[in-house]
C-alpha cells in the first residue's frame, strides 16, 4: 500500500516531513532495514534529504506479518462503512472480538480476515481499535494496516472518540442527564470490576431516553474506556443492566445478555481530516425488550 503527499511548504528534511504526517520512528526503522520504501519524485533517497517545494513524497508500506497465525472464518460480517484504511462493522452479541485460548477460529477478527482476503487483500493483519465485550453488540472499528493503527492511537489514548451506547437498566432513572464519576478496579481473584477509591478514573455520561414498565432506556457516552465501565457504573447506582448476570441485573426480562449496544462511533479520520460518524441499528433482542416494556 502506498501514500503520496506533496511538499507544499518550505524546505525541510524528509524525516521531519514524514513525522508531521504520523510516520513513526518505528516505521522509519523498518524502512531503513529495507522493509518498505520512501520515494521523492519516484526515487529512493535518505531520510536526511532536504525536500523542496512541490516535490512528491511516496510512502510504500512494508508487508505486514502477523505475530500469530490467524485463521480466516467464512461466517458473514455486517459492514457499516469501509474505505482503503478503515473497516467499521456491527458486531453481534455473543461474538468474541479477538482470538484467545478458548476461541481461535471464529471471532470478529477471524471473520474480518476472511472478508478482506475474499476482496483481494493479501497478507491481512486486521487491527481492532475499539473492542467490545463478547455479549455487547454494536459498532467496532478496525484498521486495515499498521500505519492507520498508528495514526489513530493518539485519539484512542486521549479518549477523543465519541462512543455512545444504548442501555436498558433496571429501575427508574429520575435525572434527565447525569455524570457517573467513580474509579474502577478488578476485584482481586475475580473476573469482574468494582468501584474502589484506589481504582482507575472512570467517567460515564448518560441521558434518560424513556422510563419503562420495568426499567429505563438510557443513552450513554464514555469519557474513559475501562473494562465493563457502563455495567459497573450503573450497577453501583442501583441500576444494573437487564440480562447482566455478572453484575446482578434482572434475568427475567426476555434478553439473554446484558442489554447494551454500541450504536454510535465518531472520530477524526487522520487521512482525510474529516469527521467520520458511523451508527449501528439496534439489534432485534433489544428491540423486543423495548416492545415488551411498551416503548416505541
Amino acid at each position: 500500500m502506498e501514500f503520496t503527499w506533496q511538499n507544499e511548504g518550505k524546505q525541510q528534511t524528509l524525516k521531519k516531513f514524514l513525522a508531521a504526517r504520523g510516520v513513526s520512528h518505528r516505521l522509519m526503522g523498518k524502512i531503513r532495514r529495507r522493509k518498505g520504501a520512501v520515494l521523492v519524485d519516484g526515487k529512493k533517497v535518505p531520510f536526511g534529504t532536504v525536500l523542496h517545494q512541490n516535490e512528491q513524497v511516496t510512502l510504500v508500506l512494508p508487508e505486514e506479518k502477523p505475530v500469530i497465525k490467524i485463521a480466516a472464518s467464512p461466517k458473514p460480517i455486517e459492514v457499516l462503512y469501509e474505505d482503503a484504511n478503515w473497516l467499521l462493522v456491527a458486531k453481534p452479541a455473543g461474538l468474541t472480538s479477538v482470538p484467545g485460548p478458548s476461541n481461535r477460529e471464529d471471532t470478529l477478527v477471524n471473520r474480518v480476515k476472511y472478508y478482506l482476503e475474499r476482496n483481494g487483500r493479501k497478507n491481512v493483519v486486521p487491527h481492532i481499535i475499539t473492542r467490545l465485550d463478547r455479549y455487547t453488540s454494536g459498532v467496532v472499528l478496525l484498521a486495515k494496516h499498521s500505519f492507520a493503527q498508528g495514526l489513530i492511537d493518539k485519539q484512542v489514548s486521549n479518549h477523543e472518540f465519541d462512543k455512545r451506547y444504548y442501555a436498558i437498566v433496571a429501575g427508574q432513572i429520575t435525572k434527565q442527564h447525569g455524570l457517573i464519576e467513580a474509579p474502577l478496579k478488578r476485584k482481586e481473584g475475580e473476573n469482574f470490576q468494582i468501584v474502589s477509591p484506589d481504582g482507575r478514573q472512570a467517567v460515564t455520561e448518560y441521558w434518560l431516553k424513556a422510563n419503562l414498565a420495568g426499567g429505563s432506556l438510557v443513552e450513554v457516552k464514555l469519557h474513559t474506556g475501562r473494562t465493563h465501565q457502563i455495567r459497573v457504573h450503573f450497577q453501583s447506582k442501583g441500576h444494573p443492566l437487564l440480562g447482566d448476570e455478572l453484575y446482578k441485573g434482572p434475568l427475567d426480562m426476555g434478553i439473554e445478555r446484558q442489554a447494551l449496544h454500541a450504536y454510535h462511533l465518531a472520530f477524526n479520520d487522520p487521512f482525510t481530516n474529516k469527521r467520520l460518524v458511523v451508527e449501528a441499528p439496534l439489534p432485534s433482542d433489544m428491540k423486543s425488550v423495548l416492545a415488551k416494556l411498551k416503548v416505541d
Side-chain angles (χ1 to χ4, degrees):
M1 179 172 285
E2 298 181 0
F3 296 90
T4 299
W5 304 277
Q6 191 166 5
N7 181 31
E8 298 177 347
K10 61 183 180 180
Q11 291 184 357
Q12 58 185 311
T13 64
L14 175 60
K15 182 177 180 179
K16 186 175 181 180
F17 178 88
L18 291 171
R21 281 148 187 82
V23 180
S24 66
H25 291 294
R26 183 178 180 182
L27 181 52
M28 290 187 202
K30 288 182 179 180
I31 292 169
R32 286 193 181 98
R33 297 191 297 272
R34 299 185 180 180
K35 299 177 180 178
V38 177
L39 312 175
V40 176
D41 287 344
K43 298 179 181 180
K44 290 185 179 181
V45 297
F47 284 108
T49 299
V50 175
L51 294 177
H52 300 281
Q53 193 170 22
N54 297 326
E55 285 185 320
Q56 194 172 72
V57 177
T58 300
L59 170 69
V60 182
L61 293 180
E63 179 181 314
E64 288 193 62
K65 294 183 179 179
V67 177
I68 60 172
K69 186 175 181 180
I70 299 174
S73 171
K75 293 186 178 179
I77 59 173
E78 181 182 351
V79 176
L80 301 171
Y81 174 85
E82 182 177 11
D83 62 22
N85 307 302
W86 312 110
L87 180 67
L88 288 105
V89 302
K91 187 188 83 67
L95 182 65
T96 304
S97 292
V98 298
S102 63
N103 183 358
R104 296 194 183 279
E105 303 296 323
D106 183 33
T107 69
L108 181 62
V109 166
N110 299 113
R111 295 185 186 188
V112 166
K113 181 178 181 181
Y114 178 86
Y115 170 83
L116 293 175
E117 288 180 342
R118 188 186 66 187
N119 286 280
R121 293 291 300 276
K122 296 180 179 180
N123 304 311
V124 174
V125 183
H127 301 273
I128 195 160
I129 306 300
T130 57
R131 191 181 304 187
L132 296 176
D133 295 342
R134 179 180 177 183
Y135 292 104
T136 298
S137 57
V139 183
V140 172
L141 168 65
L142 298 103
K144 288 186 174 182
H145 49 82
S146 60
F147 184 41
Q149 181 190 31
L151 287 180
I152 207 69
D153 274 348
K154 184 176 180 180
Q155 289 186 58
V156 174
S157 60
N158 291 341
H159 308 295
E160 294 173 1
F161 278 33
D162 185 1
K163 296 192 286 185
R164 305 214 178 196
Y165 297 72
Y166 283 128
I168 308 174
V169 304
Q172 301 296 302
I173 299 288
T174 56
K175 294 174 64 177
Q176 291 295 318
H177 173 252
L179 204 65
I180 304 174
E181 299 182 79
L184 303 178
K185 74 172 187 179
R186 182 175 179 175
K187 175 72 171 176
E188 187 174 353
E190 302 290 348
N191 67 343
F192 58 86
Q193 305 286 315
I194 59 172
V195 171
S196 175
D198 60 343
R200 300 175 70 190
Q201 180 196 28
V203 181
T204 302
E205 187 174 9
Y206 69 88
W207 294 263
L208 175 65
K209 307 303 290 186
N211 280 129
L212 319 175
S216 301
L217 173 66
V218 290
E219 178 184 359
V220 183
K221 177 184 169 110
L222 285 181
H223 291 278
T224 52
R226 309 302 177 209
T227 301
H228 299 174
Q229 179 175 317
I230 294 172
R231 300 163 66 188
V232 186
H233 270 175
F234 279 97
Q235 188 256 0
S236 73
K237 296 299 183 181
H239 299 287
L241 274 61
L242 304 191
D244 193 348
E245 184 175 7
L246 184 61
Y247 292 101
K248 304 187 185 307
L251 303 180
D252 58 350
M253 304 301 290
I255 189 166
E256 297 182 356
R257 50 101 175 189
Q258 63 263 14
L260 184 61
H261 176 69
Y263 86 93
H264 174 101
L265 180 65
F267 63 97
N268 294 322
D269 185 343
F271 293 99
T272 64
N273 293 318
K274 295 180 180 179
R275 190 74 169 166
L276 186 57
V277 180
V278 176
E279 295 191 346
L282 202 66
S284 58
D285 58 352
M286 287 184 65
K287 285 183 178 178
S288 295
V289 171
L290 294 178
K292 178 181 177 181
L293 299 177
K294 296 181 174 58
V295 172
D296 296 327

